[in-house]
Amino acid sequence: MPFRLLIPLGLLCALLPQHHGAPGPDGSAPDPAHYSFSLTLIDALDTLLILGNVSEFQRVVEVLQDSVDFDIDVNASVFETNIRAFQTPTGMPYGTVNLLHGVNPGETPVTCTAGIGTFIVEFATLSSLTGDPVFEDVARVALMRLWESRSDIGLVGNHIDVLTGKWVAQDAGIGAGVDSYFEYLVKGAILLQDKKLMAMFLEYNKAIRNYTRFDDWYLWVQMYKGTVSMPVFQSLEAYWPGLQSLIGDIDNAMRTFLNYYTVWKQFGGLPEFYNIPQGYTVEKREGYPLRPELIESAMYLYRATGDPTLLELGRDAVESIEKISKVECGFATIKDLRDHKLDNRMESFFLAETVKYLYLLFDPTNFIHNNGSTFDAVITPYGECILGAGGYIFNTEAHPIDPAALHCCQRLKEEQWEVEDLMREFYSLKRSRSKFQKNTVSSGPWEPPARPGTLFSPENHDQARERKPAKQKVPLLSCPSQPFTSKLALLGQVFLDSS
């Protein structure tokens, strides 16, 4: 398969710590800006597991345990590192935070829309696994403040003052500075089975179609008037067809995807900005840092349609990247798609996202694509639980979350739903498995259990309770907890510290 060409050199050279000093395409030393984060190691960690390289995954986990320390005097992007700073009058977070000292006194209160609205997936997961609702609560407040700040025509701008709630940049679109806000409304709705989040996105989708879509391209417009402000396509917008596929809007998704694919074929990659009327790159935005968004959309759409055109994009991506950007130890950012000059850097998202989505596009049997026909039945001290049933939700950096784990390993409070509500969902499972034995069995698609605020109606909930056996005290479900230095649990497997 052609996608295998990308894997050996890029992964081995970038993931092995001793290669971090390897020269760039021009022979100079690499940019050390993110060394203190071990960023590439962390970002590409689950790529190893998706590729099936469990031994290297375990080795890198040990490297991280021994070497990574986040208590350092570094200013970090709140969006990029997913570490908070939510203490503002509006509940919308600052854009950057110092990992050692918190928000700097002189920190700007202006934050991009995506930087405010891209937390619900991770933070709801964190609340589920820890039993502390504060993480999900602050993420929901930030989402609601953005929703309440939309214009009369239903659009949001690009940057907002988190202290005053006033829009600073009023360009509305689906690209840079806004993109993952829309993505997380959809993915948060699916992960949490939350009607309200989906309803918010669908309202935005109507406004986006009405004011920004022209001939299946999406332009930038003034958020209050709807007049065109920038007739450009940004490479970051290429996630949109994949997002459309998640809500079942396949026809519109394919038409937009094919527009974006024509740009790829024109240059051998997607320039950061592309002037739609002129049909060419925008000055100083001619580069392609090996972004994953178009390949991500191809992966989602191929799963939905099986259209071979999407595999052709994958083939073209592999050939372009291999021919243009391959260097001694990795794959370099393309500085200018017009002459294919290279830059002295390889972004971590190349390994964490681009390679991952390419691999998944060509690997139909990967566990990530599980449709619920198989799963792992795990016996806990409180009963049987299900993991690995599919329906994985990728966060915006392509890290998969198993929705079953949110419920199987959920720490719950006494006033919330009891364990029998969860067990009832799996009542039809065969009971012949031995205790603590992990089996693979056949079943229908997995559906999450009911909990407050989900898609289950009060009527259905009442009917379900009537079918329950006589009320009895049952301990609330939780999974055994160990610190990160003792284990890293993924897909129901626990990798113990070697010490």
Side-chain angles (χ1 to χ4, degrees):
M1 294 183 185
F3 65 94
R4 295 190 184 278
L5 296 173
L6 287 174
I7 297 166
L9 186 62
L11 277 177
L12 291 177
C13 291
L15 288 178
L16 291 174
Q18 61 263 35
H19 284 282
H20 277 206
D26 58 356
S28 61
D31 183 356
H34 297 294
Y35 275 13
S36 57
F37 274 167
S38 299
L39 183 59
T40 300
L41 281 170
I42 295 171
D43 212 16
L45 181 59
D46 54 19
T47 299
L48 287 169
L49 211 58
I50 287 175
L51 298 181
N53 194 341
V54 176
S55 61
E56 184 68 2
F57 173 83
Q58 292 176 292
R59 190 190 71 80
V60 176
V61 168
E62 292 177 0
V63 170
L64 293 174
Q65 289 175 345
D66 295 338
S67 62
V68 173
D69 181 8
F70 288 102
D71 292 326
I72 51 178
D73 190 6
V74 170
N75 290 332
S77 164
V78 172
F79 170 75
E80 295 293 347
T81 58
N82 215 356
I83 296 171
R84 302 313 103 229
F86 282 88
Q87 299 300 320
T88 66
T90 63
M92 295 186 283
Y94 283 95
T96 59
V97 62
N98 186 283
L99 298 185
L100 191 62
H101 304 295
V103 178
N104 289 325
E107 176 62 33
T108 176
V110 177
T111 306
C112 72
T113 303
I116 294 167
T118 310
F119 302 113
I120 190 63
V121 169
E122 294 89 348
F123 274 33
T125 299
L126 192 57
S127 284
S128 291
L129 299 182
T130 64
D132 188 345
V134 67
F135 305 107
E136 183 173 344
D137 289 346
V138 296
R140 286 186 179 275
V141 167
L143 286 176
M144 288 307 301
R145 295 296 88 82
L146 283 175
W147 173 251
E148 294 164 358
S149 301
R150 68 194 189 282
S151 69
D152 290 341
I153 61 174
L155 298 174
V156 290
N158 200 272
H159 284 75
I160 195 170
D161 189 312
V162 300
L163 299 181
T164 66
K166 294 185 180 299
W167 289 103
V168 176
Q170 298 180 0
D171 293 309
I174 61 171
V178 184
D179 46 9
S180 52
Y181 170 46
F182 297 136
E183 178 187 1
Y184 269 39
L185 288 175
V186 172
K187 291 183 175 180
I190 296 171
L191 181 67
L192 304 175
Q193 292 291 281
D194 191 306
K195 274 185 173 180
K196 190 171 186 178
L197 295 181
M198 185 60 76
M200 291 163 64
F201 174 78
L202 293 177
E203 282 299 309
Y204 279 129
N205 196 34
K206 290 178 185 177
I208 288 166
R209 288 185 182 182
N210 287 339
Y211 294 101
T212 76
R213 187 175 69 167
F214 296 86
D215 294 331
D216 298 310
W217 295 94
Y218 291 84
L219 313 183
W220 288 84
V221 302
Q222 211 282 338
M223 66 176 289
Y224 292 105
K225 301 176 182 178
T227 53
V228 175
S229 58
M230 291 190 296
V232 300
F233 157 61
Q234 299 177 352
S235 62
L236 284 171
E237 297 171 11
Y239 78 99
W240 189 257
L243 194 64
Q244 288 176 301
S245 76
L246 289 179
I247 64 170
D249 191 6
I250 303 299
D251 290 342
N252 284 319
M254 281 299 297
R255 287 196 294 268
T256 297
F257 177 88
L258 292 174
N259 278 348
Y260 299 167
Y261 188 16
T262 61
V263 178
W264 180 287
K265 289 189 287 189
Q266 184 178 352
F267 296 101
L270 291 186
E272 294 286 66
F273 281 29
Y274 178 83
N275 187 302
I276 297 170
Q278 295 179 2
Y280 207 65
T281 61
V282 175
E283 186 178 1
K284 298 183 179 179
R285 295 291 188 272
E286 304 94 346
Y288 172 52
L290 311 184
R291 291 195 185 278
E293 283 77 15
L294 187 62
I295 299 163
E296 173 188 2
S297 285
M299 188 272 291
Y300 279 117
L301 283 167
Y302 186 68
R303 297 301 301 171
T305 69
D307 189 329
T309 302
L310 300 157
L311 295 181
E312 292 175 11
L313 177 277
R315 177 203 62 201
D316 291 349
V318 171
E319 292 178 351
S320 294
I321 294 170
E322 181 78 8
K323 179 180 179 181
I324 300 171
S325 69
K326 183 177 177 179
V327 292
E328 179 183 350
C329 199
F331 294 84
T333 286
I334 301 172
K335 190 174 184 178
D336 193 328
L337 278 168
R338 297 172 300 178
D339 56 18
H340 294 168
K341 288 183 179 178
L342 301 180
D343 202 355
N344 184 20
R345 62 188 298 129
M346 182 179 76
E347 301 289 349
S348 71
F349 56 68
F350 172 69
L351 296 178
E353 303 181 59
T354 308
V355 168
K356 186 180 297 173
Y357 286 130
L358 270 173
Y359 193 94
L360 290 172
L361 173 62
F362 288 103
D363 185 11
T365 62
N366 195 280
F367 70 86
I368 289 291
H369 297 319
N370 184 3
N371 63 3
S373 59
T374 62
F375 52 80
D376 294 326
V378 179
I379 304 299
T380 76
Y382 308 106
E384 191 173 57
C385 198
I386 298 300
L387 291 174
Y392 293 93
I393 300 296
F394 283 107
N395 79 345
T396 194
E397 309 293 349
H399 302 307
I401 296 174
D402 182 354
L406 267 66
H407 303 278
C408 180
C409 297
Q410 193 170 70
R411 290 170 172 264
L412 300 168
K413 294 186 176 180
E414 194 69 38
E415 64 270 17
Q416 290 181 300
W417 54 277
E418 296 177 335
V419 70
E420 55 259 45
D421 293 320
L422 174 66
M423 298 307 298
R424 186 170 56 256
E425 299 297 317
F426 309 118
Y427 183 78
S428 62
L429 296 177
K430 295 179 181 179
R431 302 297 178 181
S432 60
R433 304 178 190 85
S434 300
K435 192 174 185 180
F436 297 108
Q437 181 180 0
K438 192 169 89 168
N439 294 324
T440 300
V441 298
S442 295
S443 177
W446 179 88
E447 292 183 1
R451 54 177 288 192
T454 67
L455 293 175
F456 289 83
S457 68
E459 294 81 3
N460 292 339
H461 189 63
D462 291 340
Q463 294 171 7
R465 287 197 174 273
E466 291 174 3
R467 296 193 298 269
K468 290 199 308 182
K471 187 174 179 64
Q472 54 182 324
K473 277 288 181 182
V474 182
L476 298 179
L477 177 65
S478 65
C479 288
S481 178
Q482 292 177 313
F484 176 79
T485 54
S486 298
K487 73 162 190 178
L488 180 64
L490 188 62
L491 305 175
Q493 302 179 55
V494 177
F495 300 99
L496 297 177
D497 194 299
S498 59
S499 59

